[in-house]
Amino acid sequence: MDKKIKILINIAYYAAIAGIIFLLLKYLFPVVLPFIVAFIIAAAARKAAKGIHRRVPINMKILSIFFTVIIYLLFLTVIIFVGSKTIPAVGNFIAEFPRIYRTEIIPLIDMMSEKLERILAQADPILVDTVDQGIKQVTQDINQTITSISMNMVMVISELAMNIPSMVVVIVVTVISSFFFVLDYGKMKAFFHKVIPEKKISFFRNVKIYGLNTLKIYIRSYSLLMMLTFTELLIGFLILNIPYPGWIALAIAIFDILPILGTGGILLPWSAILCFLANYSLAAGILILYIVITVIRNILEPKIVGKQMGLHPLATLISLYIGLKLFGLAGLVLFPTTLSVLAGMEREGALHFPWMEKKVQKDV
């Protein structure tokens, strides 16, 4: 009975910790996010300043402020560059979409329905009528979806416009906080060393080390995979004479890097539509391109990512699903990363799970 009570107490204890962590991430994290970002920027600026300070005898605070300004200038340059390329393209697409829908999508749907009706011409008339009604319903649904998307886009734009003041406040708070962190970094570090026990400081130091290593692995590995996929798609599209090969390859490569999704989500339906439209050569080319990309990806991804992350595929899938359900797209990245950090710390002995220690002792 005592063992069962201890087990229930342990379960309740860890469940309470998990609940507190969930509430903190769900409600407190968005509030303190500007300060977290500011601290990360300040830490990066101080690290760069340290590297220069070892070689050049310049005041550390001046160097830190200088690199903080450089970081923000880089952010601003990237935002201006991406915005100057993206906003006009999105605006042109929104302006041209009604014409594209009228001149491209509707004729394609009509062509597909006529072809399907010819195939079923010798079949049961009831079946033909059913298919015809289904096509009309699909067309109607597409019209309603496009109307809904247009209304949602207007709502999103209006919400963004309404949120501009709060976004400006967040940006200003982040920038000012980062400079305060840079100027008083040493004092804050000394304060936390006094308040937090040494064991906890060691724990957070290990979390930082393993977290940064995991983040580096993610960025390096998936950037390489994304570049590889983009190159394969670009070469394939050039061979197949696909218009705008670079932009389409880039869009599919970005789509492919998103969790759970992949190139098959675009290339397979594309190939199926081309096959239905009797463009068998292009359909076969797209399908072969998909097979080549998938084979190369399955060969290289485990070598590039799998062993470095140290996670079982089932554990990765569970963490992705739970992260998506609890925190949306952010959870898709945060949950697997956190799980990988904890697993790495446990393997290196920097993190101990009491129930695992008891099990090991019992087995021994």
Side-chain angles (χ1 to χ4, degrees), residues 276-295:
F276 188 80
L277 296 175
N279 194 344
Y280 300 114
S281 59
L282 187 55
I286 296 292
L287 184 60
I288 292 170
L289 178 60
Y290 167 71
I291 293 171
V292 170
I293 291 172
T294 303
V295 170

Side-chain angles (χ1 to χ4, degrees), residues 141-156:
D141 291 342
I142 291 174
N143 288 329
Q144 291 177 354
T145 301
I146 291 172
T147 303
S148 176
I149 291 172
S150 301
M151 293 176 64
N152 289 333
M153 288 178 67
V154 173
M155 291 176 62
V156 167

Side-chain angles (χ1 to χ4, degrees), residues 69 129 151 179 200 217 220 302 322:
V69 173
D129 292 338
M151 293 176 64
F179 282 102
K200 298 296 182 183
I217 291 170
R220 184 174 62 246
I322 294 175

